[in-house]
Amino acid sequence: MDFRTLAIAAEATSRQATDALLLVIVGDRLPASLDAPLQQAVKDAVALGDFAYKPAQVAYLRQVAGVKAARVTVVAAKDGSAKAVRAAALAGIGQIKGLGVKQVAVLIAGVDAVSAAHAEAVASAAAESVYTYRTTKPSAPAASALAKLTLLVAKADQKAADAGLAVGAAIADGVDLARELANRPGNHCTPTLLASEARKMSRAQGLKVEVLDRKQIEALGMGSFLAVAQGSDEAPRFIVMHYHGAAKNVAPLVLVGKGITFDSGGISLKPGEGMDEMKFDMGGAASVVGTMRAVAALKPKLNLIGVIAACENMPSGRALKPGDVVTSMSGQTIEVLNTDAEGRLILCDALTYVERFKPAAVVDIATLTGACVVALGAVHSGLFSPDDSLAAELLTAGHNALDTAWRMPTDDEYDEGLKSNFADMANIAGRAGGAVTAAMFLKRFTGKLRWAHLDIAATAWKSGAAKGATGRPVGLLTHWVLSQAA
Ligand code: BES
Ligand code: MN
Ligand code: ZN
């Protein structure tokens, strides 16, 4: 979608030529700044019982007297926060996208100023609303005709709104890409396809990309990653994308994504119900590709490297077995007590690999544990880091992106359960604190790094009727990367 701002006096809104006008009303009364024909139309809608000042309540008005736009959609926002405006815009665009509307003008009425955060929220809500998965569904509804969104702002707010729209548009493209990759089924989105899509994106955005095959991964000594991959007939891939926005000697930020393109559990096979959703187990990898794309579009002055370990986790005659001991790239050995705790087995080698970049900071992103789903639900991603300043940066980024995380502990006591009689560590501890012990496993491979881990098991996709990838946490990651350029 194309996003732009237009500076306009509030009294001129009714005279604006547009296919549809989306009027976001902040608060529970008519803003005095709204021009007369629109004031009247909203008053009438309230009197008729068609509209109420309730969060995300939508009314659709046609051919309003004195208003040039043939369609006016009115939606209420609970307050002037970016979060409330986003929810309102999502509801409003949701109504408009099904009409034959090519272009929509959006007015946020009832705020003192339209901020960058408001503009970003509108852009990301619009993109989220119009996304439709169709790659393997020819019968999917036709793409929405809606291709252009114009945010109407006061002259004084235009600069901030333009900046917010630029960030919002870049994140929207990254989120779309992450959703698209994660939504594709496991027989389409294999490690090979993930690598070719990462390459395609990288070429298009001018990024350097390397893709390592099984032989090259073997040569690096990634025994833990390869142990997971060995049960599958699909070839593993190790993907490295480079964004250069600063001098070569500037220490890069590094993102590491879990790219399990299907997680059957392996020999520790998962129950059948809901197993299809384990095609989303590359959501971390998808968010890395999406973030690289967003950052490449915004061109901050820093260096960023995106790394993905991609393979399938399958049972077979060659598969890893419970009790097997594998040697990680770090030299530490791991007793695999449960082959379904495979994410940490591929990530540990990726974390060792990235030491070579002498990074300023490393963030891994993984659909790592069902325990994190239980702990936090789908509201916040789980954030784990022994580094308080890095944790604070990521929490702030999540807040600003409306893509939030919640900090979880990393106390040494949680490491106890990983002890093994047959290797340097086991790959699982007990049931208690499962999301934390998974993070503690990764921590054993990050001694040389300023590191954080995001467990996105509950936030990367939705189940039920709205089953599908969310594109999270591309927003959080992009905001964090941008914050490091200052
Ligand atoms: N990919 C799963 C985690 C997962 C489960 C994400 C459900 C979203 C929903 C991961 O590989 C896994 O299977 N983890 C195990 C770990 C356990 C064996 C210690 C889990 O959470 O059950
Ligand atoms: Mn698993
Ligand atoms: Zn998994």
Side-chain angles (χ1 to χ4, degrees):
M1 204 182 304
D2 179 41
F3 300 101
R4 59 190 61 186
T5 59
L6 181 68
I8 180 174
E11 321 81 72
T13 311
S14 296
R15 278 176 270 133
Q16 184 58 39
T18 170
D19 292 350
L21 179 66
L22 174 60
L23 188 57
V24 178
I25 298 186
V26 170
D28 55 5
R29 65 183 67 98
L30 258 178
S33 60
L34 207 55
D35 57 348
L38 287 165
Q39 294 238 14
Q40 192 57 51
V42 176
K43 264 188 212 155
D44 291 349
V46 171
L48 287 167
D50 291 356
F51 180 68
Y53 296 98
K54 291 201 184 114
Q57 174 105 21
V58 182
Y60 177 44
L61 318 173
R62 238 177 303 171
Q63 268 129 12
V64 175
V67 176
K68 194 159 187 182
R71 309 170 185 90
V72 178
T73 297
V74 188
V75 62
K78 181 165 142 243
D79 54 43
S81 67
K83 187 177 171 181
V85 167
R86 189 185 195 284
L90 192 63
I93 301 284
Q95 191 272 326
I96 291 168
K97 72 173 178 191
L99 309 171
V101 168
K102 291 199 183 71
Q103 187 251 349
V104 61
V106 180
L107 180 73
I108 306 172
V111 287
D112 294 336
V114 172
S115 66
H118 288 133
E120 182 183 331
V122 169
S124 76
E128 175 178 337
S129 181
V130 302
Y131 172 84
T132 309
Y133 176 76
R134 49 171 41 81
T135 309
T136 53
K137 184 172 175 178
S139 62
S144 169
L146 187 58
K148 187 176 166 194
L149 184 151
T150 306
L151 186 61
L152 306 178
V153 294
K155 186 94 200 105
D157 301 341
Q158 191 168 24
K159 211 172 149 194
D162 278 332
L165 278 189
V167 172
I171 290 175
D173 286 342
V175 164
D176 274 2
L177 178 56
R179 290 176 79 179
E180 178 59 33
L181 293 175
N183 280 334
R184 290 188 190 170
N187 64 329
H188 286 245
C189 186
T190 60
T192 306
L193 181 116
L194 203 51
S196 69
E197 290 294 323
R199 181 174 271 138
K200 200 160 53 164
M201 181 284 295
S202 297
R203 294 240 166 100
Q205 303 294 325
L207 308 183
K208 208 182 96 192
V209 57
E210 304 161 74
V211 176
L212 310 188
D213 62 15
R214 195 190 299 265
K215 266 210 175 114
Q216 293 165 299
I217 301 167
E218 268 165 17
L220 284 166
M222 294 189 175
S224 187
F225 174 27
L226 286 166
V228 175
Q230 78 192 24
S232 169
D233 290 339
E234 285 293 339
R237 289 288 183 266
F238 194 80
I239 307 161
V240 187
M241 295 161 279
H242 298 260
Y243 164 78
H244 288 292
K248 273 225 161 82
N249 60 354
V250 175
L253 305 171
V254 176
L255 305 176
V256 176
K258 171 179 173 181
I260 296 289
T261 58
F262 188 74
D263 181 12
S264 70
I267 295 296
S268 310
L269 195 65
K270 286 181 180 295
E273 195 184 321
M275 205 206 272
D276 65 289
E277 297 192 6
M278 284 299 121
K279 72 173 185 175
F280 295 119
D281 210 19
M282 35 60 74
S287 76
V288 172
V289 179
T291 302
M292 295 304 294
R293 178 178 171 155
V295 170
L298 292 165
K299 300 191 169 44
K301 291 192 173 66
L302 47 76
N303 295 325
L304 174 67
I305 302 174
V307 173
I308 290 166
C311 70
E312 276 187 341
N313 185 24
M314 295 292 276
S316 80
R318 277 178 290 118
L320 189 60
K321 302 174 295 297
D324 284 0
V325 173
V326 301
T327 304
S328 67
M329 185 178 177
S330 73
Q332 300 178 91
T333 58
I334 305 161
E335 184 187 14
V336 180
L337 291 177
N338 189 319
T339 65
D340 198 11
E342 85 297 339
R344 62 198 80 180
L345 295 175
I346 72 170
L347 288 170
C348 68
D349 281 345
L351 288 166
T352 301
Y353 177 86
V354 304
E355 281 175 7
R356 69 188 54 207
F357 300 123
K358 302 198 167 46
V362 179
V363 179
D364 79 71
I365 309 99
T367 49
L368 204 62
T369 65
C372 196
V373 183
V374 174
L376 295 175
V379 179
H380 302 294
S381 300
L383 166 64
F384 303 78
S385 180
D387 187 307
D388 290 339
S389 66
L390 179 57
E393 288 167 16
L394 289 161
L395 290 175
T396 301
H399 177 82
N400 292 339
L402 305 178
D403 179 6
T404 52
W406 194 265
R407 191 168 180 193
M408 302 279 278
T410 53
D411 303 79
D412 287 336
E413 288 86 339
Y414 288 104
D415 186 80
E416 292 290 314
L418 293 172
K419 285 185 180 147
S420 162
N421 290 344
F422 304 105
D424 294 332
M425 70 195 86
N427 77 327
I428 56 165
R431 261 171 59 82
V436 189
T437 53
M440 296 310 288
F441 178 94
L442 297 177
K443 186 166 174 278
R444 285 175 173 241
F445 298 85
T446 59
K448 297 189 182 123
L449 303 170
R450 183 168 177 255
W451 159 81
H453 157 61
L454 286 166
D455 193 332
I456 58 166
T459 51
W461 76 89
K462 292 178 186 169
S463 305
K467 192 190 287 183
T470 61
R472 289 179 70 180
V474 169
L476 181 160
L477 294 170
T478 305
H479 268 263
W480 175 66
V481 170
L482 294 178
S483 77
Q484 303 301 300

